[in-house]
């Protein structure tokens, strides 16, 4: 009796797996396909590049825009939530190196930078009280302590970014260069805030444009490649290949 029940359960399980493995045309409006995961890397790379691009534009005062609050929504929703989703999907996909993935550490990198983008954007939201804590209540002007606090934040993320950069040495040249220049941008930012030098801060924003170019290149290569379009951008594969 028990053996017969077990066999029936096995048959049902096999039928369910077979339904997932093959196309089911019994319900044309709701077909069942074999489960496949899309490549989340382009979403993560493009959201990363766009966040850096906007921060660099506002940091350089482009078109006279000196107040950086315009970046808050993009940093939270595109650079934050969308990039975090890309990181989670890298976890779900097994975080394996694929020709279109471009990076072996997408789960950690995308999730971490998404958190950084959201944390940075929240600084400019009055409800968080971050800027208010470093503002002179009498004059309404920022306290000198603000620059040092920002320097501590950037130094911490500089250390993390260097760790991520080392992990990309077996990914691709385009991604490796993006993180190398991002490290340089963070380093200049940290030093600029520490010593209070506006020229160094401005230089960091200039490096940011190189970062976003490399990020856009890597993201576009993953989005356009593998037969999706006629365009195949070279990324410089650095993955380890065993000799036969």
């Amino acid at each position: 009796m028990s053996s017969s029940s077990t066999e029936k359960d096995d048959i049902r399980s096999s039928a369910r797996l077979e339904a997932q493995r093959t196309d089911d045309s019994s319900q044309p409006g709701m077909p069942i396909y074999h489960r496949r995961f899309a490549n989340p890397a382009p979403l993560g790379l493009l959201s990363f590049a766009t966040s850096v691009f906007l921060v660099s534009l506002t940091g350089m005062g482009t078109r006279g825009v000196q107040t950086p609050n315009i970046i808050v929504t993009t940093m939270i929703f595109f650079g934050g939530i969308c990039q975090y989703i890309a990181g989670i999907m890298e976890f779900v996909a097994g975080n394996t190196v694929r020709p279109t993935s471009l990076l072996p550490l997408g789960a950690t990198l995308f999730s971490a930078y998404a958190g950084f983008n959201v944390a940075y954007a929240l600084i400019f939201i009055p409800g968080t009280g971050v800027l208010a804590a470093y503002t002179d209540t009498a004059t309404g002007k920022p306290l000198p302590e603000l620059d040092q606090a920002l320097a501590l934040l950037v130094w911490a993320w500089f250390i993390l970014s260097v760790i991520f950069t080392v992990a990309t040495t077996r990914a691709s040249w385009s991604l490796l260069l993006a993180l190398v220049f991002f490290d340089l941008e963070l380093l200049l930012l940290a030093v600029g805030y520490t010593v209070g030098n506006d020229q160094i801060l401005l230089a960091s924003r200039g490096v940011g444009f190189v970062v976003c170019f490399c990020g856009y290149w890597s993201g576009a290569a993953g989005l356009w490649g593998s037969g999706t379009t006629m365009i195949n951008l070279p990324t410089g594969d650095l993955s380890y290949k065993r000799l036969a």
Side-chain angles (χ1 to χ4, degrees):
M1 186 72 174
S2 175
S3 176
S4 176
S5 177
T6 302
E7 290 178 358
K8 289 180 180 179
D9 290 340
D10 291 341
I11 292 174
R12 292 193 188 98
S13 298
S14 298
R16 285 194 293 268
L17 290 174
E18 183 65 19
Q20 293 181 11
R21 189 185 67 81
T22 59
D23 295 347
D24 182 359
S25 58
S26 60
Q27 297 289 336
M30 298 177 290
I32 299 176
Y33 297 103
H34 178 57
R35 294 176 181 176
R36 294 185 299 174
F37 295 108
N39 178 17
L43 173 62
L45 290 166
L46 294 176
S47 58
F48 167 77
T50 302
S51 299
V52 175
F53 181 64
L54 283 176
V55 170
S56 297
L57 284 177
T58 56
M60 296 192 74
T62 306
R63 304 295 297 175
V65 177
Q66 300 292 335
T67 304
N69 296 55
I70 191 63
I71 70 174
V72 170
T73 51
T74 298
M75 293 285 282
I76 291 177
F77 290 99
F78 191 43
I81 295 176
C82 288
Q83 191 171 186
Y84 183 72
I85 291 174
I88 294 301
M89 289 307 298
E90 286 281 0
F91 274 116
V92 173
N95 198 25
T96 56
V97 182
R98 301 181 300 276
T100 57
S101 179
L102 299 179
L103 68 164
L105 75 161
T108 305
L109 187 144
F110 290 149
S111 301
Y113 283 148
F116 172 70
N117 286 338
V118 173
Y120 184 79
L122 289 177
I123 294 175
F124 302 100
I125 298 179
T128 62
V130 176
L131 288 180
Y134 299 101
T135 301
D136 190 330
T137 55
T139 63
K141 296 181 179 180
L143 296 171
E145 185 183 357
L146 175 61
D147 282 351
Q148 299 307 313
L150 290 173
L152 295 178
L153 173 67
V154 178
W155 278 120
W157 279 97
F158 169 73
I159 295 172
L160 277 176
S161 189
V162 170
I163 294 173
F164 294 151
T165 302
V166 174
T168 62
T169 53
R170 286 299 184 186
S172 67
W173 274 109
S174 60
L175 182 64
L176 177 59
L177 288 175
L179 290 196
V180 166
F181 282 108
F182 189 59
D183 294 343
L184 179 58
E185 179 184 10
L186 291 177
L187 178 62
L188 291 173
L189 271 177
V191 173
Y193 282 129
T194 301
V195 302
N197 190 310
D198 291 337
Q199 295 302 315
I200 297 178
L201 293 175
L202 190 63
S204 72
R205 304 309 187 189
V207 175
F209 289 115
V210 181
V211 176
C212 67
F213 174 80
C214 295
Y216 278 134
W217 184 281
S218 298
L223 190 64
W224 295 343
S226 300
T228 304
T229 68
M230 295 182 294
I231 303 173
N232 287 293
L233 297 178
T235 59
D237 185 11
L238 294 174
S239 59
Y240 177 73
K241 297 180 177 63
R242 294 180 179 274
L243 297 177

